[in-house]
Amino acid sequence: MSSYLSKLFGTSPVAPLQKHMAVCCAATDELVTFFRYAVAGDWSAVDESRDRIVEHEQKADELKRKIRSNIPKSMLMPVPRADLLDLLLVQDLMANKARQVSGLVVGRSIEIPAAIQADFIAYVQRNSDAANKALASVNELDELYETGFRGAEVSVVEQLLVELDDIENETDRMQSRVRCDLFEIENDLPPVNVMFLYRVIELVGEIGDLAERIGHRLEILLSH
């Protein structure tokens, strides 16, 4: 059956999408390491970690361009080409966000205050967890594609998406807690530093938001 569908639909674009998503998650995973070095005050290691994030983001961009050029245009694909391209775009934004937030921290030499470090690192880690749960969901796409997005595999993906929503909701709660932590000490910090710290917290949270958006794109694919 799978060989018949492959002939009917053309070369599957799913494997390249999965590879791209793995690279994007490598960038968000590295962000956890990046901030661990930052709170330790090891700025040489921070710079090296930032370089790795940039490398992952650049690799993701290269893969994105190749996928856009090679994704099948056949009308016989089991899902619309535009939906796959939307998924690709949201995946890519995660790597971009990791690069953006790491660049802001390095460019401004932003230090995470000791009073919020524990909650902040846990918050960064949970957003990375959301990205990895999205990766696990995307990694189920190959079997879905081969079966025309039908069958038992749909239930597996739907459960992963429920778990992804739960993690993203947790990141929202954690963001509120970190912001409250910062609010309690902001009078003791330079106002400009406080402004940029709030921006860093927001950007990290956008990784979890993007992971949730990937889940929504997968739900659209499942609806066809």
Side-chain angles (χ1 to χ4, degrees):
M1 172 62 77
S2 73
S3 62
Y4 169 75
L5 287 172
S6 295
K7 291 178 181 178
L8 184 63
F9 296 136
T11 304
S12 169
V14 169
L17 277 170
Q18 291 170 331
K19 182 177 180 180
H20 177 266
M21 182 61 179
V23 172
C24 293
C25 276
T28 58
D29 286 344
E30 184 63 36
L31 196 62
V32 180
T33 302
F34 173 89
F35 276 113
R36 290 191 185 279
Y37 286 137
V39 300
D42 189 343
W43 289 97
S44 175
V46 165
D47 288 338
E48 292 174 1
S49 182
R50 156 73 175 170
D51 289 343
R52 289 191 291 272
I53 291 172
V54 171
E55 289 173 4
H56 292 315
E57 191 272 338
Q58 290 175 340
K59 184 176 180 180
D61 274 348
E62 292 173 5
L63 290 171
K64 178 183 65 177
R65 287 191 289 270
K66 290 180 181 178
I67 293 170
R68 281 177 168 172
S69 299
N70 297 317
I71 197 166
K73 298 180 180 180
S74 171
M75 295 299 291
L76 294 177
M77 286 174 62
V79 292
R81 182 175 185 270
D83 288 344
L84 294 176
L85 290 175
D86 283 346
L87 175 60
L88 173 65
L89 174 61
V90 180
Q91 291 180 179
D92 200 65
L93 287 173
M94 284 205 314
N96 292 347
K97 200 64 60 177
R99 178 170 182 166
Q100 182 182 4
V101 67
S102 63
L104 178 60
V105 172
V106 169
R108 299 287 310 183
S109 298
I110 296 173
E111 296 183 0
I112 309 300
I116 72 170
Q117 286 177 1
D119 282 348
F120 179 80
I121 290 296
Y123 169 62
V124 177
Q125 179 64 65
R126 206 55 178 147
N127 278 278
S128 177
D129 291 344
N132 278 282
K133 184 63 69 172
L135 170 62
S137 303
V138 170
N139 281 342
E140 298 295 329
L141 278 177
D142 48 356
E143 293 188 32
L144 283 171
Y145 193 92
E146 293 290 352
T147 59
F149 288 79
R150 298 291 185 271
E153 190 68 19
V154 171
S155 298
V156 174
V157 177
E158 287 175 340
Q159 178 57 39
L160 287 170
L161 296 182
V162 169
E163 295 169 6
L164 173 56
D165 279 342
D166 289 342
I167 295 173
E168 200 281 329
N169 288 335
E170 186 178 353
T171 64
D172 286 344
R173 293 190 294 270
M174 294 175 79
Q175 181 179 110
S176 295
R177 184 162 61 247
V178 174
R179 290 174 67 90
C180 287
D181 290 345
L182 180 56
F183 178 77
E184 291 178 0
I185 63 170
E186 65 178 33
N187 288 336
D188 301 324
L189 302 170
V192 173
N193 291 16
V194 172
M195 178 184 70
F196 280 105
L197 281 167
Y198 278 119
R199 180 59 178 154
V200 166
I201 293 168
E202 179 184 358
L203 288 172
V204 170
E206 289 177 10
I207 292 173
D209 293 340
L210 288 166
E212 185 181 41
R213 284 175 60 186
I214 289 171
H216 292 163
R217 295 302 185 277
L218 293 175
E219 288 175 343
I220 291 172
L221 294 177
L222 294 176
S223 70
H224 290 292

